[in-house]
Every structure is written in C-alpha cells, then in structure tokens.
Amino acid sequence: MAVLKKIYKIWETEYYFIEAVLENIWWENIINKSFEKKLKLIVEQIIKNNKVLGFKNKFSISILFTGDKKINQLNKKFRKINSPTNVLSFPSMPIDINTNNFLDLDCNSSIFLGNIVISSDTLIKEANNEKKIEENHLIHLFIHGVLHLLGYDHETSYDAKIMETLEIKILKSLNINNPYKEII
C-alpha cells in the first residue's frame, strides 16, 4: 500500500466531533470520494438506532485509517494476536449497554468515546473476497467500531446476535445489504 504524508481530517456537527488520521493514498481517495459525504447520515443512524447514545452531550471519536502493518502491531500489543484485523476499537471508559451508564453522565463538555483503527489492506481483501463494495464495507467497519466503543461486543453468541442485529438495522437504513452470511 502506497504511503503518503499523514493527512488529518476533522468532521464536526452538533452531535459529534471526529478527528481522523489517514496514513495511505487509498484512504485519501475513499474518504474524500464518498465516506466523508455520508458520515453525518451514518452517525445519525447510529444515534437513532442505539439506546446507549441517548445522552445530550456531543461525543468525540478518534480514528486512525492505516494498513495491516500498523494494525498488526496494535493487535499484537493489546489483544496478544499476531495478525492483522479489519478494525480495532479502544473505548475510553468501560460501558455496559444493559445499564446505559452514559445516560448518567452529567457534564457540559464532549464525551470522548475512544479510538478506532481500520486497516485498508484487510478491508480491501475482505471486500474483494466477499464481493462487497469497499465503501459499504468501510461504513460497516466504522459502525462496528463505534458500537464497540459503546460497549457492544461479540464474545458470546448472544452478544454477537445483539450487535449484528443492530449493525444490520443501521446498514439497512443506509441502503447497505446485510454483511453477514447468515440472516439473523
């Protein structure tokens, strides 16, 4: 994957502040071409379909758009898995989706949800292997990453079903097909 000087992006609305670092040319092309234009709608659908984001405060997220080398290093360091992955999420605070502890926060400032890292190399491989549109796969990985920041996981089949059902619902509202092989 071609390397370029890092590009920094900031996207902000009344609901969110997202800062991003793009580390290769592929990211610059896909982000500028389509993702950036749809980001507000994507986040609105996450908020609309998610009981955890019921708070009134603006939230912020940091995203690193990188490649397999960097995400492999992070995966090895933080998850003890020595291989690249498509997306990693690092929540800023522990969240229990069953207690909605975000709703108890009483502050006037933005709430930092955490960091997301997405690998272009793995995203492209998966999209090609699974015959998905790269942009749609990116949107899915972004939603998946944000849901992890909000306390969702897929460690058990029960939790996976909850998370995947929510992902499918959000993606459907964006006119993106179910990314999972099985219909839930």
Side-chain angles (χ1 to χ4, degrees):
M1 193 57 54
V3 177
L4 80 142
K5 192 174 182 179
K6 290 181 182 173
I7 294 175
Y8 299 91
K9 297 264 187 185
I10 293 177
W11 302 296
E12 184 172 15
T13 70
E14 63 186 284
Y15 303 112
Y16 61 83
F17 177 87
I18 298 175
E19 61 180 343
V21 176
L22 289 66
E23 288 193 334
N24 64 46
I25 290 170
W26 184 86
W27 283 120
E28 182 180 20
N29 293 333
I30 195 82
I31 297 297
N32 289 338
K33 184 171 75 173
S34 56
F35 182 76
E36 192 168 51
K37 295 173 186 167
K38 294 180 181 177
L39 186 59
K40 184 176 181 184
L41 180 60
I42 296 164
V43 173
E44 286 172 357
Q45 290 304 313
I46 293 170
I47 292 169
K48 180 181 173 186
N49 289 285
N50 192 326
K51 64 181 181 179
V52 179
L53 278 176
F55 55 87
K56 293 180 172 79
N57 300 81
K58 181 183 270 192
F59 63 88
S60 62
I61 297 171
S62 291
I63 307 172
L64 174 60
F65 294 102
T66 191
D68 275 357
K69 183 177 179 184
K70 181 67 172 183
I71 209 164
N72 188 79
Q73 292 169 345
L74 294 169
N75 208 18
K76 184 176 180 182
K77 180 175 182 176
F78 293 103
R79 296 179 65 223
K80 309 298 185 241
I81 298 172
N82 188 17
S83 65
T85 188
N86 52 17
V87 61
L88 291 172
S89 297
F90 300 95
S92 65
M93 64 182 94
I95 300 162
D96 182 347
I97 62 170
N98 298 312
T99 62
N100 287 339
N101 62 351
F102 261 150
L103 300 176
D104 299 333
L105 293 176
D106 184 26
C107 61
N108 296 321
S109 62
S110 175
I111 298 167
F112 179 62
L113 296 181
N115 300 294
I116 297 172
V117 183
I118 303 176
S119 170
S120 59
D121 301 316
T122 299
L123 183 153
I124 292 166
K125 282 182 230 169
E126 289 175 349
N128 289 336
N129 290 343
E130 298 166 19
K131 299 190 181 1
K132 294 178 181 176
I133 298 168
E134 291 173 353
E135 173 190 344
N136 290 350
H137 194 42
L138 169 58
I139 291 168
H140 176 220
L141 294 180
F142 173 75
I143 292 167
H144 187 88
V146 172
L147 292 180
H148 274 308
L149 296 182
L150 294 172
Y152 291 87
D153 69 48
H154 40 82
E155 296 301 313
T156 67
S157 60
Y158 176 77
D159 290 338
K161 185 169 182 140
I162 291 170
M163 186 172 181
E164 290 171 6
T165 299
L166 184 54
E167 289 174 63
I168 292 165
K169 183 177 180 183
I170 294 167
L171 290 166
K172 184 177 181 182
S173 72
L174 298 166
N175 295 316
I176 298 173
N177 293 332
N178 178 347
Y180 298 102
K181 302 290 184 214
E182 297 177 15
I183 296 177
I184 296 177

